[in-house]
Amino acid sequence: MVTKKVIHLLFNGILFLTSLWIVKESYELSLGYLHDPGPGSLSFFAGLLMGVLCLINLRTSLKSSDLKVPAFLGIQSIKQLGWTIIFIGMTIYLLEILGYVLTMTIFMICILTFVCQQTWKKIIIITVCTVAGTYTIFWLLQTQLPVGPFGF
């Protein structure tokens, strides 16, 4: 019989191995320099963060005696995963056509509406903060983002 602890350990182990693969592949793409980030820099640091969080979660899973079944095992989670994959595909397709700002605004609204089921007030606040924040970070790094037909 598979226990909850085994499920946690397997899932976190798979995520940790995935994070190592992301770090390896990102490093091979070139990290670039501080003022000239390379194509692999963002995914490299995201992979590192994912690996650290997985290790923290693995440690917690090993110490805890009372674990809950992971949420990814439910039918609702599978539907949310399906919506997320559809929206990511839509974002990849539209990024070069509509530009970063418009595409990410549509992506955030879709994710927050269909996957997270937030109120419109939260959707607007989170979308504006996320898109403006990421755009500012890339602007400060002097990294070119895809420009849409409206110039942004």
Side-chain angles (χ1 to χ4, degrees):
M1 181 173 155
V2 179
T3 65
K4 293 176 187 177
K5 185 173 265 192
V6 171
I7 292 172
H8 274 265
L9 293 174
L10 281 174
F11 184 67
N12 285 299
I14 290 169
L15 285 179
F16 181 72
L17 292 175
T18 303
S19 72
L20 291 179
W21 177 75
I22 291 170
V23 167
K24 176 193 157 296
E25 293 296 322
S26 300
Y27 185 77
E28 289 176 2
L29 281 175
S30 170
L31 299 179
Y33 303 98
L34 181 61
H35 295 291
D36 185 24
S41 60
L42 183 62
S43 55
F44 178 82
F45 290 109
L48 281 179
L49 178 63
M50 181 177 161
V52 168
L53 293 175
C54 285
L55 288 176
I56 291 169
N57 205 4
L58 275 169
R59 182 172 172 256
T60 304
S61 295
L62 287 172
K63 283 187 165 189
S64 179
S65 60
D66 182 35
L67 294 173
K68 296 179 180 173
V69 175
F72 68 87
L73 295 177
I75 190 73
Q76 181 66 24
S77 297
I78 293 171
K79 287 180 185 177
Q80 291 173 336
L81 178 63
W83 279 115
T84 304
I85 291 170
I86 289 169
F87 296 141
I88 289 173
M90 177 186 75
T91 302
I92 292 168
Y93 177 75
L94 293 175
L95 195 58
E96 293 296 323
I97 298 168
L98 298 178
Y100 178 79
V101 173
L102 195 53
T103 303
M104 291 312 294
T105 301
I106 294 168
F107 174 74
M108 290 300 297
I109 290 171
C110 289
I111 287 290
L112 292 171
T113 302
F114 295 102
V115 177
C116 299
Q117 298 163 350
Q118 298 294 321
T119 64
W120 278 107
K121 183 179 178 182
K122 284 184 182 180
I123 290 171
I124 292 169
I125 292 170
I126 293 170
T127 300
V128 168
C129 290
T130 302
V131 173
T134 55
Y135 187 84
T136 303
I137 289 170
F138 282 105
W139 178 77
L140 289 172
L141 292 172
Q142 298 175 347
T143 302
Q144 180 66 38
L145 292 169
V147 179
F150 307 111
F152 55 86

